[in-house]
């Protein structure tokens, strides 16, 4: 498979302390990589680094073979989309929230409406398009946030615990729907979660981070049943 992202010898420092070490990690084009570990392990630090919101102390990240540091943050970020646990919607209509990224990219107005309507429909919220974002439920808000990301057709989609704040029925429905969307769109995705069930259902591969170190990558079956690392065994079987 072709690697979209290549990470080598990465060290991330915060407040003078190394908080994440990744010796080697490739993220293949079109795959869903579930990054799993307990709270505070360093998962979100990796995601923020991939979003260029944190910069590594040492090491290298290549995006499509190009060193990340050789292009501007703005140019890099135009190729990614980020969905957080809290949707962080703007105080405007659902439609305008989803359209905001396209407008920032100066897409022609005539092309924006059909694209936004398509993704509102695919996320099941077309009937909410004129509602203000402050007037919708948490589950609906996360659907808006996901539509805002997918409409950009990003080279890389970063999901940071997007289901963790949802009630169980909404969580289950949205997880199932997103799995289908990711398969349909072949969107390269890094999915951060502490939930092993989510990781095995959504991820084609898993990367386990424990105590600030990327310990192992592999298929969910390999990680869950064949790992020889005592720390990984303890984490996956707790």
């Amino acid at each position: 498979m072709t690697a979209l992202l290549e990470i080598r010898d990465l060290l991330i420092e915060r407040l003078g302390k190394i908080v994440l070490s990744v010796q080697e990690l490739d993220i293949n084009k079109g795959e869903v990589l579930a990054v799993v570990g307990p709270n505070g392990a360093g998962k979100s630090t990796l995601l923020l680094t991939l979003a260029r919101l944190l910069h590594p102390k040492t090491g290298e990240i290549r995006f499509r073979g190009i060193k990340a540091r050789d292009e501007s943050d703005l140019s890099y970020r135009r190729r990614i989309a980020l969905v957080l646990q809290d949707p962080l919607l703007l105080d405007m209509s659902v439609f305008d929230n989803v359209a905001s990224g396209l407008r920032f990219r100066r897409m022609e107005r005539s092309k924006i409406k059909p694209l936004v309507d398509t993704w509102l429909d695919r996320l099941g919220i077309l009937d909410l398009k004129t509602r203000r974002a402050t007037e919708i439920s948490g589950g609906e808000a996360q659907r808006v946030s996901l539509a805002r990301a997918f409409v950009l057709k990003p080279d890389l989609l970063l999901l940071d615990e997007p289901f963790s704040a949802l009630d169980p029925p909404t969580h289950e429905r949205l997880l199932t729907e997103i799995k289908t969307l990711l398969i349909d769109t072949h969107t390269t995705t890094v999915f951060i979660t502490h939930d092993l069930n989510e990781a095995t259902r959504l991820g084609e591969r898993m990367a386990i981070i424990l105590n600030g170190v990327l310990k192992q990558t592999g298929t969910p079956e390999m990680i869950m049943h064949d790992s020889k690392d005592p720390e990984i065994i303890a984490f996956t079987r707790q």
Side-chain angles (χ1 to χ4, degrees), residues 188-223:
T188 308
T189 305
V190 176
F191 169 51
I192 304 295
T193 182
H194 66 276
D195 187 318
L196 286 165
N197 177 58
E198 286 184 355
T200 55
R201 288 180 58 184
L202 204 59
E204 297 168 63
R205 280 198 306 144
M206 289 170 60
I208 300 290
I209 295 180
L210 299 172
N211 300 313
V213 177
L214 176 62
K215 301 285 288 184
Q216 187 176 352
T217 62
T219 64
E221 182 175 294
M222 180 190 303
I223 296 292

Side-chain angles (χ1 to χ4, degrees), residues 4-10 12 25 46 49-52 54-56 58-71 76:
L4 180 76
L5 272 173
E6 301 164 86
I7 301 171
R8 299 291 183 272
D9 302 318
L10 196 71
I12 309 298
L25 176 63
L46 175 61
T49 303
L50 295 179
R52 294 281 284 267
L54 290 176
H55 293 278
T58 61
E60 185 172 278
I61 299 174
R62 288 179 177 264
F63 196 113
R64 295 190 183 277
I66 300 171
K67 294 179 182 178
R69 62 175 177 267
D70 288 346
E71 63 178 327
Y76 178 90

Side-chain angles (χ1 to χ4, degrees), residues 15-49:
L15 301 177
K17 178 184 177 183
I18 298 297
V19 294
L20 179 63
S21 172
V22 178
Q23 184 174 1
E24 181 177 344
L25 176 63
D26 288 347
I27 299 168
N28 297 317
K29 185 177 179 182
E31 81 166 332
V32 179
L33 177 71
V35 180
V36 193
N39 292 331
K43 306 183 303 297
S44 292
T45 296
L46 175 61
L47 182 132
L48 293 174
T49 303

Side-chain angles (χ1 to χ4, degrees), residues 26-209:
D26 288 347
I27 299 168
N28 297 317
K29 185 177 179 182
E31 81 166 332
V32 179
L33 177 71
V35 180
V36 193
N39 292 331
K43 306 183 303 297
S44 292
T45 296
L46 175 61
L47 182 132
L48 293 174
T49 303
L50 295 179
R52 294 281 284 267
L53 297 173
L54 290 176
H55 293 278
K57 177 180 175 64
T58 61
E60 185 172 278
I61 299 174
R62 288 179 177 264
F63 196 113
R64 295 190 183 277
I66 300 171
K67 294 179 182 178
R69 62 175 177 267
D70 288 346
E71 63 178 327
S72 69
D73 286 348
L74 179 60
S75 175
Y76 178 90
R77 288 177 187 148
R78 282 178 178 270
R79 295 150 66 182
I80 69 173
L82 174 63
V83 177
L84 301 172
Q85 179 178 334
D86 297 316
L88 301 178
L89 301 181
L90 303 170
D91 187 13
M92 55 177 64
S93 72
V94 165
F95 181 94
D96 287 335
N97 267 279
V98 177
S100 59
L102 299 175
R103 289 170 177 157
F104 180 76
R105 287 160 172 74
R106 301 186 183 278
M107 178 178 280
E108 294 178 28
R109 189 173 180 179
S110 61
K111 295 180 180 179
I112 291 177
K113 185 179 185 303
L115 271 176
V116 172
D117 282 351
T118 293
W119 279 104
L120 289 174
D121 187 39
R122 293 195 74 173
L123 268 301
I125 48 174
L126 185 59
D127 59 330
L128 300 177
K129 64 187 292 185
T130 61
R131 295 266 296 274
R132 295 196 75 81
T134 53
E135 299 172 351
I136 61 179
S137 70
E140 290 166 345
Q142 196 59 287
R143 288 175 180 274
V144 174
S145 184
L146 287 160
R148 183 173 59 186
F150 275 108
V151 78
L152 298 174
K153 296 182 179 178
D155 289 341
L156 176 66
L157 175 62
L158 303 173
L159 303 177
D160 191 8
E161 301 269 11
F163 313 115
S164 61
L166 305 177
D167 62 81
T170 303
H171 176 286
E172 179 62 25
R173 286 194 302 271
L174 195 51
L175 181 61
T176 300
E177 291 173 32
I178 293 306
K179 181 177 178 67
T180 299
L181 288 177
L182 292 175
I183 291 171
D184 289 348
T185 59
H186 304 288
T187 302
T188 308
T189 305
V190 176
F191 169 51
I192 304 295
T193 182
H194 66 276
D195 187 318
L196 286 165
N197 177 58
E198 286 184 355
T200 55
R201 288 180 58 184
L202 204 59
E204 297 168 63
R205 280 198 306 144
M206 289 170 60
I208 300 290
I209 295 180

